[in-house]
Structures are given as C-alpha cells and as structure tokens.
Amino acid sequence: MNGLERSRYDVIVVGGGPAGATAAILLAQQGQRVAVVEKAAFPRRKVCGEFVSATTWPLLHELGVANDLIAQAGPAIHRVGVFAGTSTIATPMAHGSGTGMEGGRAVSRALLDTVLLRHAAAAGATLWQPWTVTAFSSGSGRHSCTVESREKESRHILDAPLLVAAHGSWEMGPLPTQQFRKTLDKSDLLGFKAHFRGASLAADLMPLIAFPGGYGGLVNCGADRVSLSCCIRCDRLEAVRSRHRDRTAGDAVLAHILEHCTGVADVLSAATCEDAWLGAGPIRPGIRGFGRDAVFAVGNAAAEAHPVVAEGISIAIQSAMLLCEALRPCVDEVLTPATLAQAQRQYERAWRRNFAARLHASALYAQIFTRTLPTQMAVAVMKPFPCALRIGAAWSGKTQWLRHVQPRYCPPTIAPSGE
C-alpha cells in the first residue's frame, strides 16, 4: 500500500448520489479541495420514488441545477392521493406560506444524479468514477481511502482530514459508517421500481398505493413516463412469487398490486412497462448516526425514512446542506477534535430539528398502509375528511421549509435614538 500513488484533499466524499454531490458542490464552493468517489458510472437507474419535494427546489436553485432538472422533470404536483382496494382519494396538497413554492416534481435518478455530479465537477471537485473504496484507515489527523478502478485495473490512495459518508445504507464496505449485511428477516422490506408509458395518471396527482404487505407510489416523472415504486415485506413477497412462479419478482409484485388496488389497475390498464424491474434492499429505516472522528454521514448513511412519505431525495439533499453549514466555520480554522465535535453537534441538532418528525411519521404511515385492516380504517376516515390526507402529507415534511444550522439573514441592529 505504501507504494501506491497518493493524492491529498481537504475532503473526501464517498458516494456521488444526491447527498454526496450536494456536499461536494457546497464544499468546493467554500474553497475546499474535494474528491468524490462514486463506484457506478452515470447515468444509472436506481430504486427510488424520484419525487423531489417543493421545499427542496429553492435549494436546487441555490446549487445552480434547478433549471437543468426542471426542463426534463415531471409536472408540478398539486394533489396527493391514496389508492387502496377499490377506493381512490385525492386532495389538494398544502404548500408552505411565503416560500414561493409551486409544487414538488419527480425527476428520474438517471438525470438527477448526473446533473448534480456534473455541477460538482464544475465547482472544482475531482471525480473518481467509477472507483470503489476498498480500504480505510485513520491516523495523525487524516483519513486514507484506498480506491480501486476495475476499468483501469489500478489502485490509488486518497488522503484528507475530513470524510463525508454519502454511500447510502444498503451496501457493506470498509468505512465505519457502513453497516455490515445482516441476515434477511421476514419483516424486512424489499424495494422495486419500473417506468411505464401510456399510463393515465393525472399530471398533478401523486397517489400513495396500499396493498397487502406493502405500499408504494405513482408519479409522472417526465418524458411521458409514470414511475411506480413500491416496497413489500419479504414474507409477503415469498407468498406472491409462489402464486406467480412464471414471472419475475417485479412482475409478480405488480400482479399482486393490480389484484388488490383498483386505482393502479385503472391507471396502468393501457400502459406498457418501459424497462426491466429494478430491485433493492433490504430497506431498514431508522437513525444510524451522524459521524464521529471527522467522518460525517449524510443521506441514508445517516438515517432513512420509510419511503412511504417520498422524502428520501429531499432529506438527502437537505442533510448535506446542513452538514456543510455546520462545517463552514472549520474552513478557516485549524481542525481540532473540539472544533470537529462542535460541528458534529450542530449538524446533529439541525438534522433532528428538521427530519426526526418525518421519520416518526413515515414509520406510523408504513405500519398503517402495509396492513389491510388499518388501511381500511384510514380510508374510511379520509373519504369523508380528505383534509386528513393533506395533514398527513404536511406531517411528512412536504411543507416544512429547511431550518438552517444558523439563521441565514439577521435584521440590522438599529441604535437607539440619540446614540
């Protein structure tokens, strides 16, 4: 390892998805020398609901990527709904006051990830893509990552005093923030996603779909396509596949959804699946930690909400922005354990203030909409009172403006008269 070529940076970002690319843009704009290590070549498909909440679009404008994304994104979403059994419910989505938000939009991950990472490079970040971190060590106030490229059949060492873990939550690896794979449990959720053409989903509607053992969502994601993403319990998937032995896992799940959800069956009645189903998991929502010893976690590496609230992308981008705000005072200071610990505390407090309620709300909704009887009870309430659905969407964070680590704008101090 000592014989390998080394490159020194101020920050290493592991993962080039929405959280990692956002962090790379902001840190590079602060004058930091940033390396981004991303193992996949872009554009890439990824299991994801693809919805970006209205509260995140002003932040994307700040990053300089919003116009590129809107040009190919889906239409603005103004209504939320629920498709469960034979019931279809829809209601206008409330928006936060005074923010100028026009509604959230869905953006394909192939587009979103590519545009964000391209802007990170334009801001000055160095991209190591497709490279993989294969070894990690710390000492003397610096972190060392050994990275490997299968394409080039070569290895390299990256050194930096700070590391941002933006690698997601599903894969094992050498970083202290990466969880080693656990035995699959029957209650674990597995995710599936596919795009459809020719669907009849209303342009401004994003419905939650509920079916026995799982939940999902539909949304128009641009280019006349509808994205269907869903999660299903492992034990239910096993039962579904036993009933549809001649089908792939994704097609078996779709058959299960169509059998139990009239709204989805109507929307997809004349649609064709554009691409092969993607699968991923297990999805294990919860708070994992925010980092220590100059390793900071963002996105799903820090915490993951149940996908039922469609807030994953927004939390990823916003959490990276909070981290970079907390790290800003460190740019011009000598890094010490005390300054780094202070940044970590500020970041964690800001993260919990913004997102903890969303995690709790998503866990509650997941418990309701993966079970038949609670779903029926929830639908019975929402039919005469659709405002309950709008309130639920607000609890999930779709109208909550990002509360920053420190107030961004302070009113000028006016001296008392006569002084």
Side-chain angles (χ1 to χ4, degrees), residues 72 75-76 85 89 122 128 225 240 255 271 318 320 332 351 355 390 399 411:
Q72 301 181 63
I89 304 169
W128 293 80
R225 298 182 303 167
V240 168
Q318 293 180 24
D332 298 322
W351 192 101
F355 309 127
R390 185 164 60 249
T399 62

Side-chain angles (χ1 to χ4, degrees), residues 138-266:
S138 294
S140 302
R142 298 190 72 85
H143 302 303
S144 293
C145 293
T146 302
V147 295
E148 295 187 6
S149 170
R150 292 183 179 178
E151 290 184 352
K152 299 180 179 180
E153 296 184 351
S154 61
R155 293 192 300 163
H156 200 94
I157 296 177
L158 311 181
D159 286 341
L162 295 177
L163 186 142
V164 176
H167 46 63
S169 62
W170 292 346
E171 297 181 12
M172 58 188 294
L175 299 181
T177 49
Q178 288 180 306
Q179 300 292 317
F180 287 93
R181 196 180 305 279
K182 300 177 182 178
T183 304
L184 195 65
D185 187 84
K186 65 179 181 180
S187 63
D188 282 335
L189 293 170
L190 297 178
F192 293 90
K193 176 182 126 178
H195 290 130
F196 292 83
R197 290 193 180 275
S200 59
L201 180 67
D204 68 337
L205 176 64
M206 183 174 68
L208 165 70
I209 60 176
F211 51 90
Y215 59 79
L218 291 166
V219 68
N220 287 285
C221 59
D224 298 320
R225 298 182 303 167
V226 165
S227 173
L228 188 159
S229 56
C230 62
C231 299
I232 187 170
R233 283 173 53 110
C234 287
D235 51 2
R236 179 65 70 165
L237 176 62
E238 183 179 352
V240 168
R241 296 208 67 184
S242 68
R243 293 179 53 204
H244 302 281
R245 297 184 182 278
D246 59 333
R247 304 189 185 191
T248 64
D251 286 331
V253 171
L254 177 61
H256 178 63
I257 293 172
L258 297 179
E259 180 181 353
H260 292 92
C261 196
T262 302
V264 179
D266 291 342

Side-chain angles (χ1 to χ4, degrees), residues 60-74:
L60 293 173
H61 277 286
E62 287 187 30
L63 294 173
V65 301
N67 291 336
D68 289 346
L69 297 174
I70 288 175
Q72 301 181 63

